[in-house]
Amino acid sequence: MRALFIVNPQATTTTSRTREVILGALASELDVTVAETEYRDHAVELARGAAGAGYELVLSLGGDGTVNEVVNGLLATPPELKRPRYAVIPGGSANVFIRALGVSGDPVEATGAILEALRAGREREINLGRITSDRDDRYFTFCAGFGWDADVVQRVEHERSNGRKATPALYAEVAVKLFFGGDIRDPSLAVQTGDGGAKDVYFALVTNTTPWTYAGALPLQPTPSSRFELGLDAFALTQAGHPLTGWILSQMFFPKGLAARGDGYLTWHDQESLRITSSHPRAFQIDGEYLGEREEVNFHSVPKALRIVC
């Protein structure tokens, strides 16, 4: 089987030796071509061209940002060509997507699981989220956020540009600083869904699965019923006092996640589409990648959009 292996050489948690071990294992059973990413959205270009180059499988090594780029490239495969299957090897600091699939966050173990799945012919089809706006038409795999979490992503990207590694500790540090000193108290957002909505929202999150993210080994689950096989879920923070917001966040760490209803927030389950607007530009992110500021974004669930080997 011909396979394109897209590698982010800046992947946070892998070394050159680990990458050599992974490549050796893949090459023992696949006809592998390696392509290293060199700039933002390079993986989109590589994955988009995979079918035309005759590849049946695309693998990637990197974090959730690399996954997002590869997925968007694969979904842009020309309709007359057969889209390759996709397999993910984790190399980032959080690896939310692959862990939500139930695959090990260890890159060597994940490689072994992928090869075993290929031998068994095992794969699954998953839904994706899609965002559209006057500036966007893009897919996301697990989450999109308006407000506080996007501010965190933006600040972490700034810290990374200054040489710091994107570790869970850095995310936690930035999240706490912005929680107490950022614009989490700005009620500029509104959520509109097919069965209701909310105004004067401080922070809004749309999910395609659970968890939203991880704090080290602990999952944060604001929408614990969200699944790859269902429509989109959403969470809206409707009150922003620090004690109440801190309590709401703490409930997300519970094994069953946050309850569907409670003081200070609202959630929606299994939505085909929804819309989030802001009275002024607010930070926006998908899959942990900062996209800039937005005032309006439409969200759509895309059923059975992607075939995953896992």
Side-chain angles (χ1 to χ4, degrees):
M1 180 184 294
R2 292 194 65 208
L4 176 64
F5 186 25
I6 299 174
V7 177
N8 179 357
Q10 305 303 317
T12 308
T13 58
T14 60
T15 64
S16 58
R17 178 171 293 182
T18 302
R19 291 193 286 272
E20 289 175 6
V21 170
I22 291 169
L23 180 58
L26 296 175
S28 68
E29 301 191 35
L30 300 168
D31 179 7
V32 183
T33 299
V34 178
E36 291 192 350
T37 58
E38 298 175 2
Y39 46 85
R40 188 162 187 167
D41 284 335
H42 191 191
V44 176
E45 300 170 14
L46 293 168
R48 183 189 299 128
Y55 293 106
E56 303 166 78
L57 174 69
V58 171
L59 306 104
S60 70
L61 173 64
D64 290 308
T66 301
V67 170
N68 182 275
E69 290 190 15
V70 172
V71 165
N72 276 276
L74 287 172
L75 269 290
T77 299
E80 68 273 12
L81 299 176
K82 184 177 181 180
R83 185 187 301 148
R85 291 176 292 169
Y86 183 35
V88 184
I89 301 172
S93 58
N95 304 306
V96 177
F97 176 68
I98 192 168
R99 292 162 75 181
L101 286 170
V103 178
S104 171
D106 178 87
V108 176
E109 288 189 17
T111 302
I114 289 167
L115 291 173
E116 181 181 328
L118 286 169
R119 294 186 209 107
R122 188 172 65 245
E123 62 182 56
R124 62 187 286 194
E125 286 186 309
I126 65 169
N127 299 357
L128 294 175
R130 185 177 186 178
I131 61 166
T132 58
S133 72
D134 58 353
R135 297 168 60 183
D136 307 293
D137 187 352
R138 188 159 183 152
Y139 297 89
F140 63 93
T141 64
F142 64 91
C143 81
F146 241 125
W148 174 56
D149 77 324
D151 288 323
V152 172
V153 169
Q154 180 190 25
R155 184 69 62 85
V156 169
E157 288 188 3
H158 175 73
E159 295 292 334
R160 290 182 68 182
S161 69
N162 291 330
R164 296 187 68 181
K165 289 187 176 181
T167 62
L170 175 59
Y171 276 98
E173 173 191 326
V174 170
V176 169
K177 286 182 179 178
L178 291 178
F179 177 74
F180 288 104
D183 67 351
I184 196 170
R185 291 177 178 268
D186 179 2
S188 68
L189 301 172
V191 179
Q192 301 171 32
T193 72
D195 54 1
K199 296 181 180 179
D200 301 324
V201 170
Y202 295 84
F203 160 53
L205 184 72
V206 178
T207 62
N208 187 49
T209 189
T210 193
W212 158 36
T213 189
Y214 286 89
L218 296 175
L220 275 78
Q221 301 188 87
T223 54
S225 297
S226 187
R227 296 289 183 273
F228 284 123
E229 295 77 21
L230 300 176
L232 301 173
D233 281 25
F235 165 87
L237 185 68
T238 57
Q239 297 182 40
H242 286 149
L244 177 59
T245 304
W247 180 86
I248 293 170
L249 291 171
S250 71
Q251 304 306 296
M252 297 181 188
F253 285 101
F254 283 19
K256 292 184 178 180
L258 191 66
R261 289 290 183 271
D263 292 339
Y265 68 92
L266 294 169
T267 65
W268 297 267
H269 178 57
D270 196 16
Q271 302 289 308
E272 291 185 7
S273 62
L274 60 139
R275 181 170 175 248
I276 299 177
T277 59
S278 176
S279 60
H280 62 85
R282 293 286 298 274
F284 179 67
Q285 64 85 18
I286 58 172
D287 290 347
E289 295 294 303
Y290 181 66
L291 291 192
E293 294 184 331
R294 299 289 187 272
E295 292 182 79
E296 177 181 328
V297 179
N298 298 294
F299 301 83
H300 316 273
S301 177
V302 185
K304 298 182 178 181
L306 191 67
R307 289 188 303 160
I308 296 285
V309 176
C310 63

Tab-separated table of all heavy atoms in Angstrom, residues 28 43 51 74 82 92 103 149 171 174 187 194 221 262 272 281 303:
chain	number	residue	atom	x	y	z
A	28	SER	N	8.243	-1.148	7.154
A	28	SER	CA	8.294	-2.610	7.115
A	28	SER	C	7.032	-3.209	6.495
A	28	SER	O	7.032	-4.365	6.062
A	28	SER	CB	8.489	-3.172	8.527
A	28	SER	OG	7.331	-2.946	9.332
A	43	ALA	N	0.666	21.193	5.355
A	43	ALA	CA	0.037	19.868	5.412
A	43	ALA	C	-1.274	19.833	4.638
A	43	ALA	O	-1.658	18.789	4.103
A	43	ALA	CB	-0.195	19.453	6.867
A	51	ALA	N	-4.219	12.045	-3.226
A	51	ALA	CA	-4.980	11.148	-4.103
A	51	ALA	C	-4.465	11.220	-5.531
A	51	ALA	O	-4.292	10.192	-6.206
A	51	ALA	CB	-6.464	11.497	-4.057
A	74	LEU	N	-7.432	16.617	2.954
A	74	LEU	CA	-8.108	15.411	2.462
A	74	LEU	C	-9.528	15.726	1.990
A	74	LEU	O	-9.990	15.185	0.977
A	74	LEU	CB	-8.145	14.346	3.554
A	74	LEU	CG	-6.823	13.645	3.863
A	74	LEU	CD1	-6.954	12.757	5.086
A	74	LEU	CD2	-6.355	12.818	2.661
A	82	LYS	N	-10.472	9.054	-5.599
A	82	LYS	CA	-10.806	8.380	-4.349
A	82	LYS	C	-9.969	8.965	-3.227
A	82	LYS	O	-8.741	8.968	-3.286
A	82	LYS	CB	-10.543	6.874	-4.461
A	82	LYS	CG	-10.965	6.098	-3.226
A	82	LYS	CD	-10.748	4.602	-3.398
A	82	LYS	CE	-11.193	3.839	-2.150
A	82	LYS	NZ	-11.000	2.381	-2.293
A	92	GLY	N	1.937	15.943	19.441
A	92	GLY	CA	1.746	17.250	20.055
A	92	GLY	C	1.693	17.184	21.564
A	92	GLY	O	1.943	16.143	22.179
A	103	VAL	N	-7.296	6.001	20.957
A	103	VAL	CA	-5.966	5.502	20.597
A	103	VAL	C	-4.949	6.063	21.588
A	103	VAL	O	-5.107	7.167	22.105
A	103	VAL	CB	-5.604	5.906	19.156
A	103	VAL	CG1	-4.207	5.426	18.777
A	103	VAL	CG2	-6.632	5.349	18.174
A	149	ASP	N	-11.134	30.681	25.519
A	149	ASP	CA	-10.186	29.628	25.145
A	149	ASP	C	-9.397	30.021	23.902
A	149	ASP	O	-8.225	29.669	23.759
A	149	ASP	CB	-10.891	28.279	24.965
A	149	ASP	CG	-11.643	28.163	23.670
A	149	ASP	OD1	-12.213	29.172	23.220
A	149	ASP	OD2	-11.675	27.057	23.103
A	171	TYR	N	-0.165	26.051	28.970
A	171	TYR	CA	-1.586	26.303	28.740
A	171	TYR	C	-2.290	26.659	30.042
A	171	TYR	O	-3.118	27.585	30.088
A	171	TYR	CB	-2.248	25.085	28.099
A	171	TYR	CG	-2.095	25.013	26.604
A	171	TYR	CD1	-1.109	24.228	26.018
A	171	TYR	CD2	-2.941	25.734	25.767
A	171	TYR	CE1	-0.971	24.163	24.638
A	171	TYR	CE2	-2.803	25.675	24.387
A	171	TYR	CZ	-1.824	24.886	23.824
A	171	TYR	OH	-1.695	24.829	22.461
A	174	VAL	N	-1.308	30.232	31.206
A	174	VAL	CA	-1.960	31.272	30.412
A	174	VAL	C	-3.461	31.314	30.696
A	174	VAL	O	-4.055	32.389	30.825
A	174	VAL	CB	-1.698	31.029	28.910
A	174	VAL	CG1	-2.560	31.956	28.054
A	174	VAL	CG2	-0.220	31.230	28.587
A	187	PRO	N	-19.715	40.017	27.792
A	187	PRO	CA	-20.892	39.247	27.344
A	187	PRO	C	-21.338	39.629	25.934
A	187	PRO	O	-22.499	39.966	25.693
A	187	PRO	CB	-21.940	39.628	28.382
A	187	PRO	CG	-21.622	41.058	28.691
A	187	PRO	CD	-20.107	41.172	28.616
A	194	GLY	N	-31.225	25.456	16.427
A	194	GLY	CA	-32.540	25.108	15.917
A	194	GLY	C	-33.592	24.973	16.995
A	194	GLY	O	-34.793	25.070	16.716
A	221	GLN	N	-14.632	18.045	30.202
A	221	GLN	CA	-15.802	17.660	29.427
A	221	GLN	C	-16.982	18.602	29.688
A	221	GLN	O	-17.843	18.298	30.508
A	221	GLN	CB	-16.199	16.226	29.761
A	221	GLN	CG	-15.112	15.200	29.485
A	221	GLN	CD	-15.621	13.794	29.649
A	221	GLN	OE1	-16.167	13.196	28.716
A	221	GLN	NE2	-15.455	13.256	30.852
A	262	GLY	N	-27.239	23.757	34.336
A	262	GLY	CA	-26.783	24.184	35.650
A	262	GLY	C	-26.732	25.697	35.716
A	262	GLY	O	-26.945	26.399	34.713
A	272	GLU	N	-27.550	19.828	14.092
A	272	GLU	CA	-27.101	19.798	12.700
A	272	GLU	C	-26.358	21.072	12.340
A	272	GLU	O	-25.401	21.045	11.556
A	272	GLU	CB	-28.293	19.615	11.759
A	272	GLU	CG	-28.947	18.241	11.825
A	272	GLU	CD	-30.035	18.091	10.785
A	272	GLU	OE1	-30.192	18.999	9.929
A	272	GLU	OE2	-30.747	17.067	10.831
A	281	PRO	N	-15.563	42.176	17.311
A	281	PRO	CA	-14.647	41.065	17.021
A	281	PRO	C	-14.113	40.418	18.295
A	281	PRO	O	-13.680	41.098	19.225
A	281	PRO	CB	-13.521	41.734	16.215
A	281	PRO	CG	-14.171	42.927	15.588
A	281	PRO	CD	-15.158	43.412	16.605
A	303	PRO	N	-21.869	14.600	8.332
A	303	PRO	CA	-21.881	13.167	8.685
A	303	PRO	C	-20.912	12.355	7.835
A	303	PRO	O	-20.744	12.599	6.648
A	303	PRO	CB	-23.338	12.754	8.417
A	303	PRO	CG	-24.119	14.028	8.388
A	303	PRO	CD	-23.183	15.060	7.848
